[in-house]
Amino acid sequence: MKKTIMMSLALLGSLVAADYSAVIESPNASKLIEKDLLAPAKVYTMPKGCITTDADAIARGAFMFHNLNGGKVKGNPPKGLAKKNADDKPKQYGNCVACHNIEDAEGAGNIGPDLTSYNAMFMATGVRDNQFVYQKIADARVDNVNTHMTINLTTKLFNEREICDITSYIVSPK
Amino acid sequence: MKTGIKIALSLALLSSLSFGGEQFAMSDSDRAMYAEMLENNPADIMVANGEQLLGNLGGEAAFAKYLGVSEDKLPEYIAGFPRYIEKFKMVVGIDQVLQAMMHDAGEKPFKLKSSDMFDMLAYTKSLANGVKSNIDIDANQHMKDAYALGQKTFDTKRGGRGLSCLSCHAPAVIGSVLRTQPLPDLSSKGVAVAATWPAYRMTKSSLRTLQRRFQGCMKNALLKVIPIGSPEMVALEVYLTKQAEGTEIAIPGLKR
């Protein structure tokens, strides 16, 4: 008896043109993507005292350049740089070496230009200046809309000070 | 026949893997392991599990019947997924069809992200091995929309580093190296990626699907990971499958 009711219910279910939206998983992703979108390109001006020869700042810049995130690194980061964020998640670094070669890089990529001898080739010759490098790291879309480079300040991946540290590292004579 | 295809594909893969320069691609011992695995893809047992799972639903014949195609047309039909299916009112992947089929058979559908579903999807798609990928993105407006959504999803910059799929998979950067990884070509003939997933991933020691692979790139590049089966994920699959058009399906693939 019970069985026949169940069977006829099942039959009914298949006759009433089924609504498969409850059967087939098709979760919404557009909200996730919406919240994750990149803000428009932005022009930045270096804050005062941004570029420095301070060894600690340059060490932090180098560390962020060569590493992916705090969860992956062994040992301690340089003074003034955390391994974790306030929420206890690993802090993300630049992983710039994924795309750029530079002095002492290990396993560098070549999607972006080689930044080796940057000071001698681009700074000393006046081809580039600090503000250019700062802007490039902060938001590279300003002079190249379709850039394949990461966006580091507009995304709030880094704060101004951190962009300064990274810039100081790149432009420093090595 | 089936092995012939596999070997041809593998050669293409091997040469594409050495393309970025030997020091980047694979060590000699990795290469030896890869060659060994080509002979004996570890995913074969997972595909066999998939065969059994589909068998529980009546197998190939039942799947053909469920889709309303004859058994001899089935491989070609499978080679055209994702497609719009009127009964479901959406563009679906094979895994989603399998969910509906399980439901209609009175069973609880596997989750799209479950390994049983990965296995069953791999087996089902392997029924089309040797058939040329034949997605028709002009079949109807739904497919056109899905293709457009796929392209948009591919090109949209987002996430912690402001990257899009295109940042690393644009024609201009193919073959460049991202931290020791040569960037693969997702679209050119012969290496067409969509025809070779589901695949065994050596670095993950498991069978992964195309949408699961997308999630891997999203996670690594700090793009918010979106769920398997979402319209955007299916659309990304449509977009890349279109680029694989005309390439022979060869499942399971073997990937680094």
Side-chain angles (χ1 to χ4, degrees):
Chain A
M1 169 64 182
K2 212 168 157 195
K3 207 170 173 187
T4 38
I5 294 177
M6 263 168 62
M7 272 178 60
S8 52
L9 274 177
L11 199 68
L12 205 74
S14 64
L15 285 180
V16 182
D19 175 4
Y20 283 91
S21 62
V23 174
I24 297 175
E25 277 177 77
S26 177
N28 183 301
S30 48
K31 287 202 186 94
L32 287 174
I33 292 177
E34 192 74 35
K35 269 196 266 170
D36 201 37
L37 291 179
L38 180 58
K42 199 167 162 191
V43 177
Y44 295 96
T45 310
M46 278 191 301
K48 259 208 164 69
C50 177
I51 303 306
T52 169
T53 52
D54 174 61
D56 286 339
I58 290 180
R60 287 193 296 272
F63 198 83
M64 287 184 273
F65 193 100
H66 290 272
N67 288 288
L68 174 61
N69 65 50
K72 293 261 189 231
V73 298
K74 294 178 201 82
N76 288 327
K79 201 166 94 200
L81 191 64
K83 258 179 149 173
K84 287 180 173 175
N85 294 321
D87 63 4
D88 219 36
K89 289 209 180 111
K91 179 172 170 56
Q92 295 295 335
Y93 304 129
N95 197 25
C96 316
V97 73
C99 297
H100 296 283
N101 192 22
I102 199 165
E103 282 82 358
D104 300 325
E106 273 175 39
N110 63 3
I111 300 168
D114 190 335
L115 303 177
T116 311
S117 307
Y118 200 81
N119 182 280
M121 274 164 69
F122 297 108
M123 303 305 288
T125 54
V127 176
R128 302 288 194 229
D129 60 16
N130 293 335
Q131 171 62 38
F132 176 91
V133 179
Y134 181 88
Q135 174 69 54
K136 187 62 103 177
I137 301 168
D139 194 331
R141 288 171 296 167
V142 165
D143 53 18
N144 179 4
V145 201
N146 298 316
T147 188
H148 295 311
M149 158 105 180
T150 52
I151 311 298
N152 296 290
L153 190 53
T154 310
T155 51
K156 302 197 176 70
L157 186 72
F158 294 122
N159 59 33
E160 280 187 332
R161 186 63 247 163
E162 290 167 328
I163 304 280
C164 289
D165 290 350
I166 301 171
T167 309
S168 299
Y169 166 61
I170 293 174
V171 302
S172 66
K174 288 175 215 55
Chain B
M1 167 74 177
K2 202 170 145 197
T3 37
I5 293 161
K6 267 199 194 162
I7 289 169
L9 179 91
S10 319
L11 286 178
L13 265 174
L14 265 180
S15 56
S16 79
L17 281 164
S18 50
F19 172 54
E22 312 231 332
Q23 74 274 36
F24 294 126
M26 273 185 169
S27 67
D28 285 347
S29 61
D30 278 356
R31 201 185 300 275
M33 185 172 78
Y34 184 79
E36 149 72 26
M37 282 184 172
L38 283 178
E39 288 301 308
N40 211 338
N41 192 323
D44 287 345
I45 46 167
M46 296 144 194
V47 177
N49 179 45
E51 177 171 14
Q52 195 152 35
L53 294 170
L54 188 70
N56 296 343
L57 298 170
E60 194 173 337
F63 188 62
K65 187 156 173 252
Y66 189 74
L67 289 166
V69 294
S70 68
E71 249 182 276
D72 54 324
K73 286 274 155 53
L74 185 64
E76 236 166 86
Y77 191 79
I78 289 175
F81 272 92
R83 46 170 84 240
Y84 178 77
I85 295 190
E86 186 55 42
K87 180 171 167 186
F88 306 143
K89 302 259 180 300
M90 55 175 152
V91 175
V92 286
I94 294 168
D95 49 352
Q96 291 166 307
V97 175
L98 291 167
Q99 281 195 320
M101 186 176 167
M102 289 183 84
H103 170 84
D104 289 351
E107 288 189 28
K108 189 169 184 293
F110 296 141
K111 290 275 174 224
L112 292 182
K113 65 174 184 195
S114 67
S115 70
D116 276 343
M117 182 55 99
F118 284 12
D119 292 356
M120 191 157 62
L121 166 57
Y123 172 70
T124 308
K125 190 166 167 189
S126 78
L127 294 172
N129 275 352
V131 177
K132 290 192 166 71
S133 189
N134 65 29
I135 193 168
D136 180 3
I137 59 153
D138 294 318
N140 49 59
Q141 195 57 42
H142 304 280
M143 287 300 287
K144 286 185 189 157
D145 291 348
Y147 180 82
L149 178 63
Q151 177 158 34
K152 184 175 160 222
T153 309
F154 197 84
D155 293 355
T156 301
K157 288 180 194 274
R158 59 188 180 90
R161 299 187 196 276
L163 293 171
S164 67
C165 312
L166 191 66
S167 304
C168 298
H169 298 298
V173 298
I174 289 168
S176 314
V177 174
L178 179 86
R179 193 142 210 173
T180 75
Q181 298 302 308
L183 291 172
D185 183 344
L186 301 186
S187 57
S188 83
K189 297 274 180 266
V191 292
V193 154
T196 54
W197 290 87
Y200 187 79
R201 273 203 83 187
M202 297 188 284
T203 49
K204 309 284 174 192
S205 303
S206 63
L207 177 87
R208 299 284 170 109
T209 64
L210 188 60
Q211 292 186 28
R212 182 66 187 80
R213 183 66 188 86
F214 297 162
Q215 289 186 324
C217 275
M218 289 176 195
K219 181 163 183 284
N220 286 343
L222 293 191
L223 279 67
K224 188 117 202 122
V225 174
I226 60 173
I228 293 176
S230 59
E232 285 80 358
M233 272 295 202
V234 178
L236 274 177
E237 184 161 347
V238 167
Y239 181 62
L240 288 185
T241 303
K242 173 66 185 167
Q243 302 189 16
E245 196 176 16
T247 331
E248 281 177 4
I249 293 184
I251 310 298
L254 183 62
K255 310 280 175 174
R256 199 186 68 85

